[in-house]
Amino acid sequence: MPPVPAALATRGAARDDARRRRELAVDVLVTLIWASAAVAVALYLATGVVARMSSAADAVTALGAIAGLVATDLVLVMLILAARVPLVDRLVGHDRALAVHRSLGKPALYLLLAHGALVIVGYALADGLDPVTEAVTLLTTVPDIPTAFLAMALFVVIVVSSLVAVRGRLRYEVWHGIHLLTYAAVLVALPHQLSVGSVFAEGSAQRAYWIGLYVLALGCLLVFRIGRPLVASLRHDLRVRSVEVVGDGVVSVHLAGRGLDRLRVQGGQFGIWRFWAPGTWWRAHPISFSSVPTSTDARITVRALGRGTSRFAALAPGTRVLLEGPYGLFTERARTAPYLAVAAAGIGVTPVRSLLEHAQFAPGELTVLLRASRPDERYLWDEVRQLTDAAGGTVLTDVGPRAASGASWLSADAVVRGLDLETVFPNLADSDLYICGPAGWVSAVEAAALSAGVAGHRIRVERFES
Amino acid sequence: MRRRAAIAGAVTSAGVLAVGWVAGQAAVAEPVAVAEPADDAPDAGGADGVYTGDAVDTLYGTVQVEITVAGGELTDVEVLQQTNSGSRSDQINGRALPQLTEEALAAQSADIDAASGATYSSQGYLTSLQSAIDAAGL
């Protein structure tokens, strides 16, 4: 393999430094999540609960309280992770933040269940009752316990509906509706924390901490998921200009607005879009920018999947559009290596199209592989070709059904010709590999890259539902 | 880098927890139950009347009782103040205090067992009751 030209190597090294700084920031974020749970417990211990313990019942109750505190802390952290905070998106990407969010769901639920069980058993031991009678007594005589039980039931339903096995069987709308109950669950759990737990006692450090955390979590939600999209949508007067059919079930929505360049969209990013038209306003859709917005124009391209999406084609010019974002790290800024290798399949070409438009490349720096199962799925290929040619890069195309064996992310034809990741991308060892397409295909390319020795941090993926 | 984050998280958390623990031990190191001087000076030994016990501070709030003496006997105990740390305290008091009163009236003294699961309420109640009985000169 020829040595990396000096200019490319220098830029590659600068990108790698930037990556190290981002990774440090991610580690700080993770440490903060750990520490927040520890602070919740430490503030409780600082009230002297351990020194005051006078029986096994007290110890069981205290353990229950600790489980509840950590669970509440995790739930609030989860809300923050799902609030699409721009800083978090820039550092780890929305998809990884959501992966952490998902990974915390089950632990939080187990802690909540442990909280309920331990506190009831602790109280029952203290009162000399059996746990069932104690639970009934609590429900019927202690204020705010019924709403706490309701919150527990809601949390169980929310987490169960999000288990992989269950979520796959639910329509997105149903799952999303259930998931929104999280906010109700958090709110109805509050009263018993105030009255039964004494964490909000006036003037205590616990009170300051919990009020701060609740304000942060709900504030992030209000600001980043409601306030900013509304303000941006009104300020930029974002509306549908026209809808263009690109292929079978694939449409480009052209948008008009004011000062759209100030949205600072980077090529390769996506937005969460809501169209204020009958039948679709209540559902938001993640859709990639297929070109970088100018001050007056933006374009997104989407394949019609599911119920709401098929209505895109019917969107009337002038329809108001609400945008959350832009989000995503499928961008020039997230690169770490001297060369760039891009693999896109089907509708996955959309962010690649805007990524190439935004970035500047040296001759030979860029190699693009375009995949389609059928000839009519070659969406935007001409545009990608033009941009790649202009950048002095190379485009390879591969049309045909996926091979049954060998490199299954290529067509059977390509596999017969002896192609694999290293022959498609000759500079793979010094490349970032950007992969975008249907989830299964992306995973296959990613696996091939890892087994070819590409470092994990050099692989960037954007998965589309298929 | 995942490892670095896990180690940093664990070490930070352990430190935070240790600080909380130490603070908690220190918070309870000083004795908290301090009896206030009695409101009423003893008027007459064993005389009929109403006697107010000391207000006793416990970790969960102040407890104070008032007793009624008739015919040289303890006939009633009324709770003026009780532990007050949320509705769980109310639940405990609702169960424990009537039980303590019943036993005190039967024993005609504060020399009875604490109610189980109500350590601090009982401690406050019995201390206050003893001071009231002393004041009445029973």
mmCIF file of all heavy atoms in Angstrom, chain A residues 23-24 27 31 34 38-39 41-42 45-46 48 50-52 54 96 123 126-127 134 138 142 195-196, chain B residues 1 4-5 8-10 12-13 16-17 20-21 24-25 28 59-60 86-88 91 95 116-117 119-120:
data_model
loop_
_atom_site.group_PDB
_atom_site.id
_atom_site.type_symbol
_atom_site.label_atom_id
_atom_site.label_comp_id
_atom_site.label_asym_id
_atom_site.label_seq_id
_atom_site.Cartn_x
_atom_site.Cartn_y
_atom_site.Cartn_z
ATOM 1 N N GLU A 23 -13.794 11.702 22.910
ATOM 2 C CA GLU A 23 -13.904 10.504 23.747
ATOM 3 C C GLU A 23 -13.700 10.836 25.219
ATOM 4 O O GLU A 23 -14.350 10.267 26.095
ATOM 5 C CB GLU A 23 -12.910 9.436 23.278
ATOM 6 C CG GLU A 23 -13.415 8.762 22.014
ATOM 7 C CD GLU A 23 -12.457 7.725 21.471
ATOM 8 O OE1 GLU A 23 -11.358 7.557 22.044
ATOM 9 O OE2 GLU A 23 -12.818 7.078 20.477
ATOM 10 N N LEU A 24 -12.808 11.795 25.464
ATOM 11 C CA LEU A 24 -12.620 12.227 26.853
ATOM 12 C C LEU A 24 -13.919 12.828 27.387
ATOM 13 O O LEU A 24 -14.348 12.536 28.509
ATOM 14 C CB LEU A 24 -11.483 13.255 26.920
ATOM 15 C CG LEU A 24 -11.146 13.759 28.322
ATOM 16 C CD1 LEU A 24 -10.654 12.612 29.195
ATOM 17 C CD2 LEU A 24 -10.096 14.861 28.270
ATOM 18 N N ASP A 27 -16.333 10.166 28.246
ATOM 19 C CA ASP A 27 -16.007 9.525 29.520
ATOM 20 C C ASP A 27 -16.418 10.399 30.696
ATOM 21 O O ASP A 27 -16.874 9.903 31.729
ATOM 22 C CB ASP A 27 -14.510 9.211 29.582
ATOM 23 C CG ASP A 27 -14.151 8.071 28.638
ATOM 24 O OD1 ASP A 27 -15.087 7.468 28.086
ATOM 25 O OD2 ASP A 27 -12.961 7.798 28.454
ATOM 26 N N THR A 31 -19.006 9.294 33.565
ATOM 27 C CA THR A 31 -18.632 9.427 34.973
ATOM 28 C C THR A 31 -19.687 10.250 35.725
ATOM 29 O O THR A 31 -20.042 9.940 36.864
ATOM 30 C CB THR A 31 -17.255 10.103 35.093
ATOM 31 O OG1 THR A 31 -16.324 9.362 34.322
ATOM 32 C CG2 THR A 31 -16.795 10.157 36.537
ATOM 33 N N TRP A 34 -22.670 8.050 36.589
ATOM 34 C CA TRP A 34 -22.342 7.249 37.789
ATOM 35 C C TRP A 34 -22.429 8.131 39.033
ATOM 36 O O TRP A 34 -23.053 7.767 40.036
ATOM 37 C CB TRP A 34 -20.913 6.735 37.695
ATOM 38 C CG TRP A 34 -20.677 5.523 36.864
ATOM 39 C CD1 TRP A 34 -20.743 5.450 35.513
ATOM 40 C CD2 TRP A 34 -20.314 4.218 37.327
ATOM 41 N NE1 TRP A 34 -20.444 4.185 35.112
ATOM 42 C CE2 TRP A 34 -20.165 3.406 36.188
ATOM 43 C CE3 TRP A 34 -20.079 3.668 38.598
ATOM 44 C CZ2 TRP A 34 -19.811 2.065 36.271
ATOM 45 C CZ3 TRP A 34 -19.711 2.335 38.680
ATOM 46 C CH2 TRP A 34 -19.589 1.548 37.535
ATOM 47 N N ALA A 38 -24.498 8.144 42.698
ATOM 48 C CA ALA A 38 -23.770 8.081 43.971
ATOM 49 C C ALA A 38 -24.137 9.263 44.865
ATOM 50 O O ALA A 38 -24.293 9.110 46.082
ATOM 51 C CB ALA A 38 -22.265 8.064 43.712
ATOM 52 N N VAL A 39 -24.296 10.441 44.261
ATOM 53 C CA VAL A 39 -24.653 11.621 45.055
ATOM 54 C C VAL A 39 -26.032 11.421 45.682
ATOM 55 O O VAL A 39 -26.256 11.748 46.852
ATOM 56 C CB VAL A 39 -24.639 12.897 44.163
ATOM 57 C CG1 VAL A 39 -25.301 14.062 44.874
ATOM 58 C CG2 VAL A 39 -23.207 13.255 43.799
ATOM 59 N N VAL A 41 -27.414 8.699 46.628
ATOM 60 C CA VAL A 41 -27.292 7.797 47.785
ATOM 61 C C VAL A 41 -26.531 8.488 48.925
ATOM 62 O O VAL A 41 -26.909 8.399 50.093
ATOM 63 C CB VAL A 41 -26.589 6.491 47.382
ATOM 64 C CG1 VAL A 41 -26.379 5.600 48.599
ATOM 65 C CG2 VAL A 41 -27.406 5.762 46.324
ATOM 66 N N ALA A 42 -25.448 9.206 48.557
ATOM 67 C CA ALA A 42 -24.600 9.832 49.581
ATOM 68 C C ALA A 42 -25.394 10.868 50.387
ATOM 69 O O ALA A 42 -25.250 10.954 51.613
ATOM 70 C CB ALA A 42 -23.387 10.488 48.925
ATOM 71 N N LEU A 45 -27.395 8.995 52.838
ATOM 72 C CA LEU A 45 -26.556 8.491 53.938
ATOM 73 C C LEU A 45 -26.166 9.633 54.871
ATOM 74 O O LEU A 45 -26.063 9.452 56.085
ATOM 75 C CB LEU A 45 -25.290 7.833 53.375
ATOM 76 C CG LEU A 45 -25.485 6.540 52.590
ATOM 77 C CD1 LEU A 45 -24.146 6.042 52.063
ATOM 78 C CD2 LEU A 45 -26.145 5.480 53.460
ATOM 79 N N ALA A 46 -25.952 10.836 54.283
ATOM 80 C CA ALA A 46 -25.491 11.967 55.093
ATOM 81 C C ALA A 46 -26.528 12.404 56.117
ATOM 82 O O ALA A 46 -26.215 13.133 57.048
ATOM 83 C CB ALA A 46 -25.125 13.141 54.184
ATOM 84 N N GLY A 48 -27.672 10.557 58.193
ATOM 85 C CA GLY A 48 -27.414 9.765 59.391
ATOM 86 C C GLY A 48 -28.299 8.548 59.503
ATOM 87 O O GLY A 48 -28.469 7.983 60.582
ATOM 88 N N VAL A 50 -27.900 5.529 58.654
ATOM 89 C CA VAL A 50 -27.269 4.278 59.087
ATOM 90 C C VAL A 50 -27.025 4.302 60.598
ATOM 91 O O VAL A 50 -27.309 3.343 61.313
ATOM 92 C CB VAL A 50 -25.947 4.050 58.331
ATOM 93 C CG1 VAL A 50 -25.256 2.801 58.841
ATOM 94 C CG2 VAL A 50 -26.222 3.931 56.835
ATOM 95 N N ALA A 51 -26.528 5.435 61.086
ATOM 96 C CA ALA A 51 -26.236 5.534 62.513
ATOM 97 C C ALA A 51 -27.504 5.430 63.361
ATOM 98 O O ALA A 51 -27.468 5.028 64.517
ATOM 99 C CB ALA A 51 -25.523 6.859 62.790
ATOM 100 N N ARG A 52 -28.629 5.818 62.782
ATOM 101 C CA ARG A 52 -29.884 5.797 63.527
ATOM 102 C C ARG A 52 -30.557 4.446 63.529
ATOM 103 O O ARG A 52 -31.534 4.238 64.240
ATOM 104 C CB ARG A 52 -30.859 6.802 62.888
ATOM 105 C CG ARG A 52 -30.730 8.185 63.440
ATOM 106 C CD ARG A 52 -31.844 9.027 62.882
ATOM 107 N NE ARG A 52 -31.597 9.376 61.487
ATOM 108 C CZ ARG A 52 -32.541 9.883 60.687
ATOM 109 N NH1 ARG A 52 -33.755 10.054 61.117
ATOM 110 N NH2 ARG A 52 -32.242 10.200 59.455
ATOM 111 N N SER A 54 -32.004 1.053 64.180
ATOM 112 C CA SER A 54 -32.120 0.366 65.458
ATOM 113 C C SER A 54 -32.650 -1.042 65.285
ATOM 114 O O SER A 54 -32.834 -1.747 66.256
ATOM 115 C CB SER A 54 -33.043 1.162 66.384
ATOM 116 O OG SER A 54 -34.312 1.287 65.788
ATOM 117 N N ARG A 96 -26.228 6.831 19.946
ATOM 118 C CA ARG A 96 -25.539 6.219 21.101
ATOM 119 C C ARG A 96 -26.143 6.675 22.414
ATOM 120 O O ARG A 96 -26.207 5.908 23.379
ATOM 121 C CB ARG A 96 -24.045 6.526 21.047
ATOM 122 C CG ARG A 96 -23.293 5.512 20.188
ATOM 123 C CD ARG A 96 -21.843 5.854 20.056
ATOM 124 N NE ARG A 96 -21.089 5.690 21.290
ATOM 125 C CZ ARG A 96 -19.846 6.134 21.457
ATOM 126 N NH1 ARG A 96 -19.245 6.761 20.462
ATOM 127 N NH2 ARG A 96 -19.219 5.941 22.575
ATOM 128 N N TYR A 123 -41.301 -1.997 56.368
ATOM 129 C CA TYR A 123 -42.419 -1.477 57.164
ATOM 130 C C TYR A 123 -43.168 -2.619 57.850
ATOM 131 O O TYR A 123 -43.570 -2.513 59.004
ATOM 132 C CB TYR A 123 -43.402 -0.707 56.268
ATOM 133 C CG TYR A 123 -42.941 0.672 55.842
ATOM 134 C CD1 TYR A 123 -41.694 1.174 56.199
ATOM 135 C CD2 TYR A 123 -43.775 1.485 55.081
ATOM 136 C CE1 TYR A 123 -41.294 2.436 55.800
ATOM 137 C CE2 TYR A 123 -43.388 2.762 54.680
ATOM 138 C CZ TYR A 123 -42.139 3.228 55.036
ATOM 139 O OH TYR A 123 -41.760 4.470 54.640
ATOM 140 N N ALA A 126 -41.357 -3.770 60.825
ATOM 141 C CA ALA A 126 -41.464 -2.798 61.913
ATOM 142 C C ALA A 126 -42.838 -2.857 62.567
ATOM 143 O O ALA A 126 -42.971 -2.706 63.780
ATOM 144 C CB ALA A 126 -41.190 -1.394 61.381
ATOM 145 N N ASP A 127 -43.869 -3.073 61.751
ATOM 146 C CA ASP A 127 -45.228 -3.032 62.280
ATOM 147 C C ASP A 127 -45.716 -4.393 62.743
ATOM 148 O O ASP A 127 -46.826 -4.510 63.270
ATOM 149 C CB ASP A 127 -46.197 -2.511 61.198
ATOM 150 C CG ASP A 127 -45.893 -1.072 60.827
ATOM 151 O OD1 ASP A 127 -45.124 -0.433 61.571
ATOM 152 O OD2 ASP A 127 -46.407 -0.596 59.801
ATOM 153 N N GLU A 134 -49.475 -5.169 55.113
ATOM 154 C CA GLU A 134 -48.789 -3.885 55.198
ATOM 155 C C GLU A 134 -49.034 -3.070 53.919
ATOM 156 O O GLU A 134 -49.315 -1.868 53.985
ATOM 157 C CB GLU A 134 -47.281 -4.109 55.377
ATOM 158 C CG GLU A 134 -46.461 -2.829 55.445
ATOM 159 C CD GLU A 134 -46.770 -1.977 56.665
ATOM 160 O OE1 GLU A 134 -46.875 -2.550 57.762
ATOM 161 O OE2 GLU A 134 -46.924 -0.746 56.517
ATOM 162 N N LEU A 138 -50.777 0.479 53.811
ATOM 163 C CA LEU A 138 -50.141 1.664 53.213
ATOM 164 C C LEU A 138 -51.071 2.292 52.172
ATOM 165 O O LEU A 138 -51.271 3.511 52.140
ATOM 166 C CB LEU A 138 -48.824 1.273 52.524
ATOM 167 C CG LEU A 138 -47.618 1.059 53.426
ATOM 168 C CD1 LEU A 138 -46.468 0.446 52.643
ATOM 169 C CD2 LEU A 138 -47.175 2.379 54.032
ATOM 170 N N VAL A 142 -52.044 5.657 54.087
ATOM 171 C CA VAL A 142 -50.998 6.668 53.940
ATOM 172 C C VAL A 142 -51.236 7.455 52.656
ATOM 173 O O VAL A 142 -51.349 6.877 51.585
ATOM 174 C CB VAL A 142 -49.605 6.022 53.923
ATOM 175 C CG1 VAL A 142 -48.518 7.071 53.731
ATOM 176 C CG2 VAL A 142 -49.376 5.271 55.216
ATOM 177 N N SER A 195 -43.907 13.432 50.596
ATOM 178 C CA SER A 195 -44.589 13.280 51.878
ATOM 179 C C SER A 195 -44.093 12.087 52.671
ATOM 180 O O SER A 195 -43.920 12.180 53.880
ATOM 181 C CB SER A 195 -46.095 13.171 51.664
ATOM 182 O OG SER A 195 -46.384 12.003 50.931
ATOM 183 N N VAL A 196 -43.841 10.967 52.019
ATOM 184 C CA VAL A 196 -43.430 9.769 52.757
ATOM 185 C C VAL A 196 -41.911 9.751 52.898
ATOM 186 O O VAL A 196 -41.366 9.638 53.980
ATOM 187 C CB VAL A 196 -43.914 8.486 52.053
ATOM 188 C CG1 VAL A 196 -43.577 7.278 52.916
ATOM 189 C CG2 VAL A 196 -45.403 8.557 51.798
ATOM 190 N N MET B 1 -11.388 3.078 26.310
ATOM 191 C CA MET B 1 -12.008 4.301 26.788
ATOM 192 C C MET B 1 -13.259 3.977 27.599
ATOM 193 O O MET B 1 -13.615 4.653 28.537
ATOM 194 C CB MET B 1 -12.314 5.212 25.606
ATOM 195 C CG MET B 1 -13.769 5.158 25.223
ATOM 196 S SD MET B 1 -14.350 6.194 23.954
ATOM 197 C CE MET B 1 -15.682 5.194 23.374
ATOM 198 N N ARG B 4 -11.905 3.211 30.861
ATOM 199 C CA ARG B 4 -11.525 4.430 31.572
ATOM 200 C C ARG B 4 -12.771 5.054 32.218
ATOM 201 O O ARG B 4 -12.737 5.451 33.376
ATOM 202 C CB ARG B 4 -10.905 5.403 30.572
ATOM 203 C CG ARG B 4 -10.468 6.702 31.191
ATOM 204 C CD ARG B 4 -9.718 7.560 30.211
ATOM 205 N NE ARG B 4 -10.576 8.058 29.139
ATOM 206 C CZ ARG B 4 -10.133 8.780 28.116
ATOM 207 N NH1 ARG B 4 -8.853 9.059 28.006
ATOM 208 N NH2 ARG B 4 -10.965 9.205 27.192
ATOM 209 N N ALA B 5 -13.873 5.102 31.463
ATOM 210 C CA ALA B 5 -15.098 5.702 31.995
ATOM 211 C C ALA B 5 -15.624 4.893 33.176
ATOM 212 O O ALA B 5 -16.049 5.457 34.187
ATOM 213 C CB ALA B 5 -16.154 5.786 30.898
ATOM 214 N N ALA B 8 -13.305 5.515 36.189
ATOM 215 C CA ALA B 8 -13.522 6.869 36.711
ATOM 216 C C ALA B 8 -14.866 6.949 37.421
ATOM 217 O O ALA B 8 -14.981 7.523 38.505
ATOM 218 C CB ALA B 8 -13.464 7.885 35.569
ATOM 219 N N GLY B 9 -15.889 6.348 36.813
ATOM 220 C CA GLY B 9 -17.217 6.378 37.417
ATOM 221 C C GLY B 9 -17.237 5.664 38.767
ATOM 222 O O GLY B 9 -17.795 6.172 39.743
ATOM 223 N N ALA B 10 -16.620 4.489 38.816
ATOM 224 C CA ALA B 10 -16.628 3.709 40.054
ATOM 225 C C ALA B 10 -15.861 4.423 41.163
ATOM 226 O O ALA B 10 -16.331 4.506 42.309
ATOM 227 C CB ALA B 10 -16.033 2.328 39.791
ATOM 228 N N THR B 12 -15.126 7.688 41.407
ATOM 229 C CA THR B 12 -15.847 8.888 41.816
ATOM 230 C C THR B 12 -17.021 8.539 42.724
ATOM 231 O O THR B 12 -17.228 9.150 43.777
ATOM 232 C CB THR B 12 -16.382 9.638 40.574
ATOM 233 O OG1 THR B 12 -15.320 9.792 39.640
ATOM 234 C CG2 THR B 12 -16.943 10.988 40.945
ATOM 235 N N SER B 13 -17.789 7.517 42.303
ATOM 236 C CA SER B 13 -18.957 7.126 43.088
ATOM 237 C C SER B 13 -18.547 6.670 44.480
ATOM 238 O O SER B 13 -19.183 7.039 45.480
ATOM 239 C CB SER B 13 -19.703 5.997 42.383
ATOM 240 O OG SER B 13 -20.107 6.420 41.106
ATOM 241 N N VAL B 16 -17.743 9.684 46.578
ATOM 242 C CA VAL B 16 -18.954 10.418 46.959
ATOM 243 C C VAL B 16 -19.700 9.682 48.068
ATOM 244 O O VAL B 16 -20.145 10.274 49.059
ATOM 245 C CB VAL B 16 -19.861 10.607 45.721
ATOM 246 C CG1 VAL B 16 -21.227 11.127 46.132
ATOM 247 C CG2 VAL B 16 -19.217 11.555 44.721
ATOM 248 N N LEU B 17 -19.804 8.352 47.911
ATOM 249 C CA LEU B 17 -20.510 7.554 48.916
ATOM 250 C C LEU B 17 -19.797 7.618 50.262
ATOM 251 O O LEU B 17 -20.432 7.710 51.316
ATOM 252 C CB LEU B 17 -20.630 6.100 48.450
ATOM 253 C CG LEU B 17 -21.633 5.863 47.314
ATOM 254 C CD1 LEU B 17 -21.569 4.415 46.837
ATOM 255 C CD2 LEU B 17 -23.041 6.191 47.775
ATOM 256 N N GLY B 20 -20.563 10.816 51.964
ATOM 257 C CA GLY B 20 -21.932 10.774 52.499
ATOM 258 C C GLY B 20 -22.009 9.967 53.774
ATOM 259 O O GLY B 20 -22.651 10.364 54.747
ATOM 260 N N TRP B 21 -21.309 8.834 53.770
ATOM 261 C CA TRP B 21 -21.310 7.940 54.938
ATOM 262 C C TRP B 21 -20.733 8.651 56.164
ATOM 263 O O TRP B 21 -21.338 8.665 57.235
ATOM 264 C CB TRP B 21 -20.488 6.701 54.607
ATOM 265 C CG TRP B 21 -20.371 5.729 55.747
ATOM 266 C CD1 TRP B 21 -19.499 5.794 56.781
ATOM 267 C CD2 TRP B 21 -21.191 4.579 55.962
ATOM 268 N NE1 TRP B 21 -19.701 4.744 57.641
ATOM 269 C CE2 TRP B 21 -20.732 3.976 57.166
ATOM 270 C CE3 TRP B 21 -22.239 3.990 55.271
ATOM 271 C CZ2 TRP B 21 -21.307 2.814 57.677
ATOM 272 C CZ3 TRP B 21 -22.802 2.834 55.781
ATOM 273 C CH2 TRP B 21 -22.350 2.260 56.966
ATOM 274 N N GLY B 24 -22.922 11.238 57.471
ATOM 275 C CA GLY B 24 -24.061 10.646 58.156
ATOM 276 C C GLY B 24 -23.704 10.214 59.570
ATOM 277 O O GLY B 24 -24.476 10.441 60.519
ATOM 278 N N GLN B 25 -22.504 9.620 59.723
ATOM 279 C CA GLN B 25 -22.078 9.193 61.064
ATOM 280 C C GLN B 25 -21.899 10.416 61.968
ATOM 281 O O GLN B 25 -22.294 10.418 63.124
ATOM 282 C CB GLN B 25 -20.768 8.412 60.990
ATOM 283 C CG GLN B 25 -20.837 7.137 60.181
ATOM 284 C CD GLN B 25 -21.900 6.161 60.673
ATOM 285 O OE1 GLN B 25 -22.930 5.982 60.041
ATOM 286 N NE2 GLN B 25 -21.662 5.539 61.823
ATOM 287 N N VAL B 28 -25.085 12.131 63.474
ATOM 288 C CA VAL B 28 -25.805 11.509 64.573
ATOM 289 C C VAL B 28 -24.910 11.351 65.799
ATOM 290 O O VAL B 28 -25.333 10.918 66.855
ATOM 291 C CB VAL B 28 -26.370 10.148 64.105
ATOM 292 C CG1 VAL B 28 -27.217 9.504 65.178
ATOM 293 C CG2 VAL B 28 -27.207 10.355 62.856
ATOM 294 N N LEU B 59 -34.943 12.214 66.720
ATOM 295 C CA LEU B 59 -34.440 12.428 65.355
ATOM 296 C C LEU B 59 -35.565 12.671 64.373
ATOM 297 O O LEU B 59 -35.348 13.181 63.280
ATOM 298 C CB LEU B 59 -33.622 11.219 64.917
ATOM 299 C CG LEU B 59 -32.234 11.179 65.564
ATOM 300 C CD1 LEU B 59 -31.641 9.793 65.492
ATOM 301 C CD2 LEU B 59 -31.332 12.188 64.889
ATOM 302 N N TYR B 60 -36.775 12.283 64.722
ATOM 303 C CA TYR B 60 -37.883 12.434 63.775
ATOM 304 C C TYR B 60 -38.865 13.519 64.210
ATOM 305 O O TYR B 60 -39.972 13.596 63.682
ATOM 306 C CB TYR B 60 -38.615 11.102 63.605
ATOM 307 C CG TYR B 60 -37.779 10.062 62.916
ATOM 308 C CD1 TYR B 60 -37.081 9.092 63.647
ATOM 309 C CD2 TYR B 60 -37.661 10.050 61.524
ATOM 310 C CE1 TYR B 60 -36.305 8.147 63.007
ATOM 311 C CE2 TYR B 60 -36.883 9.113 60.880
ATOM 312 C CZ TYR B 60 -36.201 8.157 61.627
ATOM 313 O OH TYR B 60 -35.436 7.224 60.988
ATOM 314 N N GLY B 86 -43.112 13.152 57.806
ATOM 315 C CA GLY B 86 -43.835 12.602 56.680
ATOM 316 C C GLY B 86 -44.961 11.682 57.102
ATOM 317 O O GLY B 86 -45.142 11.381 58.282
ATOM 318 N N SER B 87 -45.700 11.217 56.115
ATOM 319 C CA SER B 87 -46.911 10.472 56.414
ATOM 320 C C SER B 87 -46.611 9.086 56.985
ATOM 321 O O SER B 87 -47.460 8.477 57.603
ATOM 322 C CB SER B 87 -47.792 10.362 55.181
ATOM 323 O OG SER B 87 -47.008 9.989 54.076
ATOM 324 N N ARG B 88 -45.392 8.592 56.759
ATOM 325 C CA ARG B 88 -45.028 7.318 57.365
ATOM 326 C C ARG B 88 -44.990 7.485 58.893
ATOM 327 O O ARG B 88 -45.387 6.587 59.626
ATOM 328 C CB ARG B 88 -43.678 6.846 56.821
ATOM 329 C CG ARG B 88 -43.041 5.675 57.545
ATOM 330 C CD ARG B 88 -43.838 4.389 57.427
ATOM 331 N NE ARG B 88 -43.177 3.306 58.158
ATOM 332 C CZ ARG B 88 -43.774 2.197 58.529
ATOM 333 N NH1 ARG B 88 -45.053 1.997 58.250
ATOM 334 N NH2 ARG B 88 -43.123 1.252 59.184
ATOM 335 N N GLN B 91 -48.388 7.229 60.144
ATOM 336 C CA GLN B 91 -48.863 5.846 60.171
ATOM 337 C C GLN B 91 -48.343 5.128 61.422
ATOM 338 O O GLN B 91 -49.080 4.446 62.121
ATOM 339 C CB GLN B 91 -48.391 5.114 58.910
ATOM 340 C CG GLN B 91 -49.015 3.733 58.760
ATOM 341 C CD GLN B 91 -48.157 2.803 57.910
ATOM 342 O OE1 GLN B 91 -47.057 3.138 57.510
ATOM 343 N NE2 GLN B 91 -48.677 1.623 57.640
ATOM 344 N N ARG B 95 -50.520 3.900 65.030
ATOM 345 C CA ARG B 95 -50.561 2.543 65.576
ATOM 346 C C ARG B 95 -49.925 2.483 66.964
ATOM 347 O O ARG B 95 -50.479 1.882 67.896
ATOM 348 C CB ARG B 95 -49.797 1.618 64.615
ATOM 349 C CG ARG B 95 -49.612 0.205 65.103
ATOM 350 C CD ARG B 95 -48.856 -0.629 64.068
ATOM 351 N NE ARG B 95 -47.596 0.008 63.671
ATOM 352 C CZ ARG B 95 -46.479 -0.033 64.411
ATOM 353 N NH1 ARG B 95 -46.463 -0.650 65.575
ATOM 354 N NH2 ARG B 95 -45.389 0.554 63.982
ATOM 355 N N SER B 116 -43.015 -1.884 69.115
ATOM 356 C CA SER B 116 -42.075 -2.366 68.087
ATOM 357 C C SER B 116 -42.252 -1.549 66.820
ATOM 358 O O SER B 116 -43.366 -1.158 66.462
ATOM 359 C CB SER B 116 -42.329 -3.842 67.794
ATOM 360 O OG SER B 116 -43.501 -3.979 67.036
ATOM 361 N N GLY B 117 -41.136 -1.252 66.167
ATOM 362 C CA GLY B 117 -41.169 -0.498 64.918
ATOM 363 C C GLY B 117 -41.402 0.980 65.119
ATOM 364 O O GLY B 117 -41.580 1.714 64.162
ATOM 365 N N THR B 119 -39.401 2.992 67.480
ATOM 366 C CA THR B 119 -38.361 3.222 68.477
ATOM 367 C C THR B 119 -38.330 4.674 68.952
ATOM 368 O O THR B 119 -38.333 4.946 70.159
ATOM 369 C CB THR B 119 -36.993 2.863 67.884
ATOM 370 O OG1 THR B 119 -37.107 1.621 67.210
ATOM 371 C CG2 THR B 119 -35.944 2.765 68.961
ATOM 372 N N TYR B 120 -38.318 5.592 67.988
ATOM 373 C CA TYR B 120 -38.114 6.993 68.371
ATOM 374 C C TYR B 120 -39.379 7.608 68.946
ATOM 375 O O TYR B 120 -39.332 8.356 69.923
ATOM 376 C CB TYR B 120 -37.583 7.774 67.169
ATOM 377 C CG TYR B 120 -36.174 7.336 66.838
ATOM 378 C CD1 TYR B 120 -35.942 6.314 65.942
ATOM 379 C CD2 TYR B 120 -35.096 7.912 67.513
ATOM 380 C CE1 TYR B 120 -34.655 5.876 65.688
ATOM 381 C CE2 TYR B 120 -33.805 7.487 67.262
ATOM 382 C CZ TYR B 120 -33.588 6.462 66.349
ATOM 383 O OH TYR B 120 -32.318 6.032 66.108
#
